[in-house]
DNA sequence: GTTGAGCGTT
């Protein structure tokens, strides 16, 4: 019978031998130029493939033909499933879904989409490397038998992993928890935001307690004396010259101040204490005081800054493939000399090397060669002379010690004692 | 050889 024929022709997803196809995806429906992303061989689409192009994405939706409403795409454990088993992804244009209230950032807040974003903006939007914001994550509730490979396999669906580790006792038995680390902060947030089933057990991924103290270096500055006429865009555009701006926040009942969050906390740090003129208005910059609400405008430079440890990773353990440690170029004046860390000779600052040396404690590896930071620092020259300069970097933050901890893939395969583990083969790219 | 909230070497 006909029906049987039809049935025979139907090939289940699992066994389908389909050639790789592409799915059109864009950030919104009106996008002129969608990106085509390849599916897996069975027709599914890894969310990680999507986040590779759209950092921070947590799903897909599309407008279906019949009801003309938006439909979400089925997502299970990082795998997106085509809406139709026969027609698969069809020719729909899929729209990226971002987590609610998440840092998809300033870019969506522009009132007029028509205005093309500046190159810098595009760069920061497309950048897949939010750099140093990732932290190790603890995975609780693991089945005893799970191995690092299993963990790796499970979480690789979400994004690029940089470290996987399962805690064991002396005998090699799993303690039922482990640590992982992603290279993308967006992925990290997404993974944390949901529960996971790993080997038949519910597992939670959290920021470990040992890390909670370090609230991610503050890249936020306080901006005082702004006027009501100033817009977010205006402020953002101004500060982009010093580095990528992640967010600008202006309290709604106007209160004459705002917050600007940079991508690089060093840029923020270098701006502290300065006066800037934006559209003819003199504004002043201070620390954002992340903690309580201490109205501290004039402090003698004892504001406690969160530890700077994560900022510059001396061993670069989480960037295996030379992800950029260079900073945002292009905006700063001169200086592109070395991209190294650590002790730098006094940068050629106008006005005297002594002051420069004073500005930076070389042992902290504060990188004055970063054009953006340098630019910001140059701007603070006046404030320095005025004695208003506060040096958050001088705090002995002890950048070493703990930072390099247990992260990184096992340096030597010998680490895998107790048979069941296997770091075996495909580790080239990880080591 | 067991167990099921927690928090990572050396």
């Amino acid at each position: 019978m006909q029906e049987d024929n039809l049935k025979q022709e139907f090939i289940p997803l699992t066994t389908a031998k389909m050639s790789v196809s592409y799915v059109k995806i864009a950030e919104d429906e009106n996008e002129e130029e969608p990106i085509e992303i390849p599916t897996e061989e069975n027709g599914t689409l890894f969310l990680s493939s999507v986040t590779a192009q759209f950092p921070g994405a947590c799903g897909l939706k599309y407008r279906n033909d019949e009801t003309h409403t938006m439909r979400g795409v089925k997502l299970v454990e990082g795998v997106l499933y085509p809406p139709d088993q026969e027609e698969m992804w069809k020719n729909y244009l899929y729209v990226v879904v971002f987590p609610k209230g998440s840092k998809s950032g300033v870019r969506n807040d522009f009132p007029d989409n028509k205005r093309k974003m500046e190159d810098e903006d595009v760069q920061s939007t497309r950048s897949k490397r939010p750099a140093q914001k990732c932290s190790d994550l603890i995975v609780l509730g693991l089945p005893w038998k799970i191995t690092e490979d299993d963990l790796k396999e499970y979480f690789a669906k979400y994004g690029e992993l940089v470290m996987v580790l399962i805690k064991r006792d002396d005998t090699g038995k799993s303690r039922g928890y482990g640590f992982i680390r992603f290279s993308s902060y967006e992925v990290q947030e997404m993974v944390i935001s949901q529960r996971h089933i790993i080997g038949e057990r519910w597992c939670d991924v959290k920021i470990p307690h040992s890390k909670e103290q370090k609230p991610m270096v503050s890249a936020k500055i306080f901006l005082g004396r702004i006027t009501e006429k100033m817009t977010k865009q205006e402020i953002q555009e101004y500060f982009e010259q010093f580095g990528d701006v992640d967010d600008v926040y202006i309290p709604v009942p106007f209160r004459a101040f705002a917050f600007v969050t940079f991508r690089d906390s060093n840029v923020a740090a270098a701006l502290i204490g300065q006066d800037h003129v934006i559209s003819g208005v003199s504004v002043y910059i201070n620390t954002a005081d992340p903690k309580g609400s201490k109205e501290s405008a004039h402090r003698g430079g004892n504001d406690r800054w969160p530890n700077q440890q994560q900022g510059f990773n001396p061993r670069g353990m989480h960037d295996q493939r030379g992800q950029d440690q260079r900073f945002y170029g292009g905006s700063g004046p001169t200086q592109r000399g070395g991209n190294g860390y650590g002790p730098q000779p006094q940068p050629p600052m106008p006005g005297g090397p002594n002051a420069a040396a004073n500005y930076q404690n070389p042992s902290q590896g504060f990188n004055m060669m970063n054009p953006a930071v340098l630019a910001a620092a140059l701007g603070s020259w006046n404030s320095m002379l005025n004695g208003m300069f506060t040096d958050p970097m001088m705090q002995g933050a002890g950048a070493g010690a703990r930072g390099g901890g247990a992260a990184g893939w096992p340096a030597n395969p010998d680490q895998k004692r107790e048979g069941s583990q296997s770091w075996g083969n495909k580790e080239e790219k990880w080591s």
Side-chain angles (χ1 to χ4, degrees), chain A residues 118-154:
Chain A
E118 310 278 43
D119 279 12
E120 276 179 281
D121 246 355
V122 174
Q123 265 187 342
S124 64
T125 297
R126 290 166 68 191
S127 167
K128 306 168 192 171
R129 324 156 175 162
Q132 47 263 96
K133 282 190 173 179
C134 288
S135 70
D136 292 355
L137 306 175
I138 188 168
V139 188
L140 277 339
L142 292 174
W144 312 116
K145 50 185 290 191
I146 285 300
T147 70
E148 269 91 350
D149 273 349
D150 298 329
L151 253 197
K152 191 166 88 180
E153 183 182 343
Y154 174 84

Side-chain angles (χ1 to χ4, degrees), chain A residues 274-314:
Chain A
Q274 303 182 189
D275 289 305
H276 284 244
V277 177
I278 305 176
S279 310
V281 179
S282 169
V283 301
Y284 81 92
I285 300 171
N286 208 336
T287 59
D289 244 346
K291 297 236 165 145
S293 48
K294 282 202 173 183
E295 284 287 332
S296 67
H298 315 285
R299 289 242 176 188
N302 49 5
D303 269 326
R304 283 219 317 270
W305 273 62
N307 294 342
Q308 290 285 128
Q309 350 214 16
Q310 309 240 95
F312 294 103
N313 205 326

Side-chain angles (χ1 to χ4, degrees), chain A residues 372-392:
Chain A
V373 177
L374 178 60
L378 287 175
S380 74
W381 198 246
N382 289 331
S383 346
M384 274 196 268
L385 294 180
N386 289 338
M388 289 184 54
F389 180 68
T390 66
D391 188 359

Side-chain angles (χ1 to χ4, degrees), chain A residues 94 115 167 276:
Chain A
Y94 293 86
R115 224 166 62 92
K167 281 321 195 180
H276 284 244

Side-chain angles (χ1 to χ4, degrees), chain A residues 150-202:
Chain A
D150 298 329
L151 253 197
K152 191 166 88 180
E153 183 182 343
Y154 174 84
F155 283 110
K157 294 194 297 269
Y158 294 92
E160 182 189 37
L161 280 160
V162 164
M163 183 271 299
V164 167
L165 183 64
I166 288 181
K167 281 321 195 180
R168 305 172 187 279
D169 62 16
D170 298 331
T171 74
K173 280 184 307 187
S174 167
R175 297 194 131 101
Y177 69 92
F179 293 89
I180 61 175
R181 188 182 185 113
F182 290 99
S183 61
S184 156
Y185 185 71
E186 324 282 352
V187 173
Q188 161 170 327
E189 284 228 319
M190 199 177 67
V191 168
I192 291 178
S193 73
Q194 54 191 254
R195 300 248 286 160
H196 302 267
I197 297 180
I198 306 176
E200 307 280 303
R201 277 184 59 89
W202 283 104

Side-chain angles (χ1 to χ4, degrees), chain A residues 24-29 37 45-48 50-63 70-75 80 89 93-105 107-108 186-187 189-190 193-194:
Chain A
K24 276 188 300 184
I25 301 179
E27 278 198 39
D28 67 81
E29 287 187 278
I37 296 179
L45 181 60
F46 283 169
L47 182 56
S48 55
V50 178
T51 55
Q53 304 300 324
F54 302 94
C58 66
L60 288 179
K61 59 186 177 182
Y62 65 99
R63 194 172 294 279
M70 298 303 285
R71 276 185 188 167
V73 173
K74 179 177 179 180
L75 169 65
L80 291 152
W89 297 92
L93 172 65
Y94 293 86
V95 177
V96 185
V97 178
F98 290 100
K100 279 206 172 127
S102 186
K103 77 239 76 267
S104 32
R107 72 163 178 258
N108 290 332
E186 324 282 352
V187 173
E189 284 228 319
M190 199 177 67
S193 73
Q194 54 191 254

Side-chain angles (χ1 to χ4, degrees), chain A residues 32-93:
Chain A
E32 311 100 42
E33 213 168 322
I35 299 180
E36 290 197 338
I37 296 179
T39 65
E40 299 304 306
E41 296 203 347
N42 63 3
T44 65
L45 181 60
F46 283 169
L47 182 56
S48 55
S49 301
V50 178
T51 55
Q53 304 300 324
F54 302 94
C58 66
L60 288 179
K61 59 186 177 182
Y62 65 99
R63 194 172 294 279
N64 73 83
D65 293 336
E66 303 95 25
T67 66
H68 295 300
T69 55
M70 298 303 285
R71 276 185 188 167
V73 173
K74 179 177 179 180
L75 169 65
V76 180
E77 292 184 0
V79 179
L80 291 152
Y81 290 85
D84 194 297
Q85 284 202 323
E86 296 178 38
E87 300 185 72
M88 303 300 284
W89 297 92
K90 285 189 164 178
N91 236 344
Y92 287 132
L93 172 65

